[in-house]
Coordinates of all heavy atoms in Angstrom, one line a residue:
V1 N 103.7 113.5 92.2 CA 103.2 113.8 93.5 C 102.3 115.1 93.4 O 101.2 115.0 94.0 CB 104.4 114.0 94.5 CG1 103.9 114.7 95.8 CG2 105.1 112.8 94.9
G2 N 102.7 116.1 92.7 CA 101.9 117.2 92.5 C 100.6 117.0 91.9 O 99.5 117.5 92.2
V3 N 100.6 116.1 90.9 CA 99.4 115.8 90.1 C 98.3 115.1 91.1 O 97.2 115.5 91.1 CB 99.7 114.9 88.9 CG1 98.4 114.3 88.4 CG2 100.4 115.7 87.9
I4 N 98.9 114.2 91.9 CA 98.0 113.4 92.8 C 97.5 114.3 94.0 O 96.4 114.3 94.3 CB 98.7 112.2 93.3 CG1 98.9 111.2 92.1 CG2 97.9 111.5 94.4 CD1 99.8 110.0 92.4
Q5 N 98.4 115.1 94.4 CA 98.0 116.0 95.5 C 97.0 117.0 95.0 O 96.0 117.4 95.8 CB 99.2 116.9 96.0 CG 100.2 116.1 96.9 CD 101.4 116.9 97.3 OE1 101.9 117.8 96.6 NE2 101.9 116.6 98.5
S6 N 97.0 117.5 93.8 CA 96.1 118.4 93.3 C 94.6 117.9 93.2 O 93.6 118.6 93.1 CB 96.4 118.9 91.9 OG 96.3 117.9 90.9
R7 N 94.5 116.5 93.4 CA 93.2 115.9 93.4 C 92.8 115.4 94.8 O 91.9 114.5 94.9 CB 93.2 114.7 92.4 CG 93.8 115.0 91.0 CD 92.6 115.3 90.1 NE 93.2 115.4 88.7 CZ 92.8 116.3 87.9 NH1 91.9 117.2 88.2 NH2 93.4 116.3 86.7
C8 N 93.4 115.9 95.8 CA 93.2 115.3 97.2 C 91.8 115.4 97.7 O 91.3 114.6 98.4 CB 94.2 115.9 98.2 SG 93.9 117.6 98.6
S9 N 91.1 116.4 97.2 CA 89.7 116.5 97.6 C 88.8 115.4 97.1 O 87.6 115.3 97.6 CB 89.1 117.9 97.3 OG 89.0 118.0 95.9
T10 N 89.3 114.7 96.1 CA 88.5 113.5 95.6 C 89.1 112.2 95.8 O 88.6 111.1 95.4 CB 88.3 113.7 94.0 OG1 89.5 113.8 93.4 CG2 87.4 114.9 93.8
W11 N 90.1 112.1 96.7 CA 90.7 110.9 97.0 C 89.7 110.1 97.8 O 89.0 110.5 98.7 CB 91.9 111.0 98.0 CG 93.2 111.6 97.4 CD1 93.5 111.9 96.1 CD2 94.3 112.0 98.2 NE1 94.7 112.5 96.0 CE2 95.3 112.5 97.3 CE3 94.7 111.9 99.5 CZ2 96.5 113.0 97.6 CZ3 95.9 112.4 99.9 CH2 96.8 112.9 99.0
N12 N 89.6 108.8 97.4 CA 88.7 107.9 98.1 C 89.4 106.7 98.7 O 89.2 106.3 99.9 CB 87.6 107.3 97.1 CG 86.6 106.4 97.7 OD1 86.7 105.2 97.4 ND2 85.7 106.9 98.5
R13 N 90.3 106.1 97.9 CA 91.1 104.9 98.4 C 92.5 105.1 97.9 O 92.7 105.4 96.7 CB 90.5 103.7 97.9 CG 91.2 102.4 98.3 CD 90.5 101.2 97.8 NE 90.6 101.1 96.3 CZ 91.7 100.4 95.7 NH1 92.6 99.8 96.4 NH2 91.8 100.3 94.4
L14 N 93.5 105.1 98.8 CA 94.9 105.1 98.5 C 95.6 103.9 99.0 O 95.3 103.5 100.1 CB 95.5 106.3 99.2 CG 95.1 107.7 98.9 CD1 95.8 108.7 99.8 CD2 95.3 108.1 97.5
E15 N 96.3 103.3 98.1 CA 97.1 102.2 98.4 C 98.6 102.6 98.0 O 98.8 102.7 96.8 CB 96.7 100.9 97.7 CG 97.4 99.7 98.1 CD 96.9 98.4 97.4 OE1 95.9 98.5 96.7 OE2 97.6 97.4 97.5
L16 N 99.5 102.7 98.9 CA 100.8 103.2 98.6 C 101.9 102.4 99.2 O 101.9 102.0 100.3 CB 100.9 104.7 99.2 CG 99.8 105.6 99.0 CD1 99.9 106.9 99.8 CD2 99.7 106.0 97.5
S17 N 102.8 102.1 98.3 CA 104.1 101.4 98.7 C 105.2 101.9 97.8 O 105.3 101.7 96.7 CB 104.0 99.9 98.4 OG 105.2 99.2 98.7
M18 N 106.0 102.8 98.5 CA 107.0 103.6 97.8 C 108.1 104.1 98.7 O 108.0 103.9 99.9 CB 106.3 104.8 97.1 CG 105.7 105.8 98.1 SD 104.7 107.0 97.3 CE 103.4 106.1 96.8
A19 N 109.1 104.7 98.1 CA 110.2 105.2 98.9 C 109.7 106.2 99.9 O 108.7 107.0 99.6 CB 111.2 105.9 97.9
R20 N 110.3 106.3 101.0 CA 109.9 107.2 102.1 C 109.8 108.6 101.7 O 108.8 109.2 102.0 CB 111.0 107.0 103.3 CG 110.6 107.8 104.5 CD 111.7 107.6 105.5 NE 111.2 107.9 106.9 CZ 110.5 107.2 107.7 NH1 110.2 106.0 107.3 NH2 110.2 107.6 108.9
K21 N 110.8 109.2 100.9 CA 110.7 110.5 100.5 C 109.5 110.8 99.7 O 108.8 111.8 99.9 CB 112.0 110.9 99.8 CG 112.0 112.4 99.3 CD 113.1 112.8 98.5 CE 113.1 114.2 98.0 NZ 111.9 114.8 97.7
S22 N 109.2 110.0 98.7 CA 107.9 110.1 97.9 C 106.7 110.1 98.7 O 105.7 110.8 98.6 CB 107.9 109.1 96.8 OG 108.9 109.3 95.8
L23 N 106.7 109.1 99.7 CA 105.5 109.0 100.6 C 105.3 110.2 101.4 O 104.2 110.7 101.5 CB 105.7 107.7 101.4 CG 104.5 107.4 102.3 CD1 103.3 107.1 101.5 CD2 104.8 106.2 103.2
V24 N 106.4 110.7 102.1 CA 106.3 111.9 102.9 C 105.9 113.1 102.0 O 105.0 113.9 102.4 CB 107.6 112.2 103.6 CG1 107.7 113.6 104.2 CG2 107.9 111.1 104.6
D25 N 106.4 113.3 100.8 CA 106.0 114.4 99.9 C 104.5 114.3 99.6 O 103.8 115.3 99.6 CB 106.9 114.4 98.7 CG 108.3 114.7 98.9 OD1 108.6 115.3 99.9 OD2 109.1 114.5 97.9
L26 N 104.1 113.1 99.2 CA 102.7 112.9 98.8 C 101.7 113.2 100.0 O 100.7 113.9 99.8 CB 102.5 111.5 98.3 CG 101.0 111.1 97.8 CD1 100.7 112.0 96.6 CD2 101.0 109.7 97.5
L27 N 102.1 112.7 101.1 CA 101.1 112.8 102.2 C 101.3 114.1 103.0 O 100.7 114.4 104.0 CB 101.3 111.6 103.2 CG 100.9 110.3 102.5 CD1 101.1 109.1 103.5 CD2 99.5 110.3 102.0
S28 N 102.2 115.0 102.5 CA 102.3 116.3 103.1 C 101.2 117.3 102.8 O 101.1 118.4 103.4 CB 103.7 117.0 102.8 OG 103.7 117.4 101.4
V29 N 100.4 117.0 101.9 CA 99.2 117.8 101.5 C 98.2 118.0 102.6 O 98.0 117.0 103.3 CB 98.6 117.3 100.2 CG1 97.9 116.0 100.4 CG2 97.6 118.3 99.6
E30 N 97.7 119.2 102.8 CA 96.7 119.4 103.8 C 95.3 119.2 103.2 O 95.1 119.5 102.0 CB 96.8 120.8 104.3 CG 98.1 121.1 105.1 CD 98.1 122.5 105.7 OE1 97.1 123.1 105.9 OE2 99.3 122.9 105.9

């Protein structure tokens, strides 16, 4: 989650299907 969050300024397309906790953690980045 931290690795992916650290690249949030370059996210272009996200396709996510995962446990609720991981999803909430990942999408908590501002």
Side-chain angles (χ1 to χ4, degrees):
V1 167
V3 166
I4 293 172
Q5 284 178 329
S6 72
R7 308 265 191 222
C8 70
S9 65
T10 58
W11 290 353
N12 178 254
R13 184 178 65 94
L14 298 176
E15 183 178 352
L16 309 169
S17 176
M18 62 188 69
R20 181 180 200 83
K21 181 185 180 323
S22 291
L23 183 62
V24 168
D25 289 347
L26 180 63
L27 297 179
S28 69
V29 67
E30 294 184 22

